[in-house]
Amino acid sequence: MNKLLRFDRPPETTMGNGRYYARFSQAEVFPAPVEGGIAYTWLFEAFDADWFDDNSEPVNTDFFESYYERAELFLLELHIQPMEVRRFEPLPSIEQEVLEDDEGDEWLIFEAAPSRDGMLGEGELGLTVYSNLYQPGIETSAKDIRRADASVQAKLRRVVSTDHIPDASENDIDGALAGVENTQIDWAVVYDVGQGNAIGFCNVQGSVQAYVDLGGGTLQNAHTYPSALQKFCFTKSPPIILSHWDFDHWSSASRDKQSLTMAWVAPRQSVGPTHAALMTAIMSSGRLLLVPKTLQARWRGQLYLEICTGRGRNHSGIALTLSEVQKGGGNLILFPGDARYSCLPSFNSTNKYSSVVAPHHGGDMRNHTAPCGVLQRCSRLAYSSGRGNSYGHPAFITRQDHDKAGWPDPSITMRASHYPIRETQNRVSRPLGHVFLGWTNRTTAPALPCGGGFCQLQAQQL
Ligand SMILES: [Zn+2]
Ligand SMILES: [Zn+2]
């Protein structure tokens, strides 16, 4: 596994030579410390430029795996305020992409040097350089950011291309989901993985039959991951259905490497080198099924799997609906990943869901659509985020939108007869905050078949 993704025995923290080829990966917008201000954190996936110049492409796709085992990869986190976007010529177009949820595949050259005590020189921007997904980064200042020239861009695009991985066929997907399709799913649990998302669909014994995402806190939010959660359940060889290719949705793969031997059902999306490195790790020990955009949505047992139709990675991945009985019967629970509700083809604001996992950890969706709450005793609206996360998730506006749609939130509505809101960051007095989602109201959390001896997945909040 590439050292950027290694959780056990992480490599020594380094910033390499300070020159990188980098591609925009994901963005967060959050309130800045100045009044009324906002700030951006833009994350870039990068190669060490010197390493790449000497290793500019895998000889052929058979070398994809060994290439990504060796590649000198970094993640760069640019901290920037809107008024600073004009500092470097390529940044306004990134801002435009972020605002429009668009996704360019342009490669930039970053030049950075360690910053002394966080002080930046004239015209420089703060840049955190990470050599490992789970370790603190190095504070540097970006001295220059410019476009890479066309021939280098072409080489970079070739090495992150996944064109050599064929689309998963209907048969492949049916095969990977056969176990979960043919088992009664009695409940789901939204695991407390800090700032990220990981959900298990469980049978009556409590074994996980499928995961939706297997993520958790990373980078500046790595500290939000609970140290008490070390092992997931793989007894039933559950497929891992990945909503989309963002770190906080798959980063627990290296925390429990048994996951890499499973089948991963993931959307085909354009990715950078970090995600490509995970893909190679899955392909070398398990199975990677890349679901094409053309997949026909349909019920498979109690699962409805569909491809979202928005732009950008968050809004174009896989969304799932789980029904109480086969093929959409009974109550429904919605798992939109990080997608805006309006990007789910099956979503309609009159659909009745008994429970929902709020999209994007409760982040501001820049859209007020929310599902209509049907308040039953078992109804839950779950927020999956980490306490003290750097983005301020869940956002107040998102709580408000859901509260108005019929999910009374104790921070907004006083005196509701029943509050369905549950947050994974609420660890109460226990070390974990896993949230139970089910079809009936319970007074005690179901036990695990291993009694908790082999995993730490017991629901904590009913
Ligand atoms: Zn995301
Ligand atoms: Zn996310």
Side-chain angles (χ1 to χ4, degrees), residues 122-133:
E122 178 83 25
E124 298 176 351
L125 293 176
L127 184 76
T128 313
V129 177
Y130 295 91
S131 53
N132 184 269
L133 199 52

Side-chain angles (χ1 to χ4, degrees), residues 365-387:
M365 303 312 282
R366 291 184 282 139
N367 179 310
H368 298 292
T369 309
C372 154
V374 269
L375 277 201
Q376 303 172 350
R377 295 303 296 181
C378 65
S379 290
R380 299 290 177 262
L381 173 70
Y383 288 112
S384 181
S385 67
R387 186 170 294 275

Side-chain angles (χ1 to χ4, degrees), residues 26 28 244-249 313-314 338 360-361:
Q26 58 188 93
E28 290 295 338
H244 66 296
W245 290 95
D246 272 347
F247 311 112
D248 51 330
H249 293 255
R313 282 214 291 264
N314 282 349
D338 278 356
H360 201 195
H361 326 285

Side-chain angles (χ1 to χ4, degrees), residues 384-399:
S384 181
S385 67
R387 186 170 294 275
N389 72 79
S390 58
Y391 312 127
H393 292 166
F396 187 69
I397 183 74
T398 306
R399 291 180 182 279

